[in-house]
Amino acid sequence: MLRPVRKAVTEAYDPDPRSMVIVAMGSSFLLFSLLSSHESSPYYRFALVVAVLSLVVSLVMLAVETRR
């Protein structure tokens, strides 16, 4: 059972570097706009964490894809 699942995931995983550039640009814009205003609500912190994580993940995926 594990082999078919692994095969399906590897076939479905075909990242496009252009989409990762779009995600990185969008999350960096969101991060910039979030850092320009300071709030203390938990929603603000959650949005800040999500923006940082999406930026880091997109940059890592870009680095891995360009290394191939």
Side-chain angles (χ1 to χ4, degrees):
M1 181 173 156
L2 189 59
R3 179 179 260 169
V5 171
R6 212 179 266 177
K7 184 178 178 184
V9 168
T10 56
E11 287 176 359
Y13 179 74
D14 187 21
D16 187 15
R18 291 179 295 171
S19 63
M20 288 301 113
V21 169
I22 292 170
V23 170
M25 287 173 42
S27 59
S28 63
F29 175 73
L30 175 64
L31 186 61
F32 176 74
S33 64
L34 283 171
L35 289 177
S36 65
S37 67
H38 301 286
E39 294 182 23
S40 62
S41 71
Y43 300 113
Y44 173 77
R45 289 188 211 131
F46 176 74
L48 196 62
V49 168
V50 167
V52 168
L53 284 178
S54 64
L55 182 62
V56 168
V57 168
S58 63
L59 290 178
V60 166
M61 288 183 72
L62 270 172
V64 167
E65 287 301 313
T66 55
R67 203 164 178 208
R68 283 187 182 182

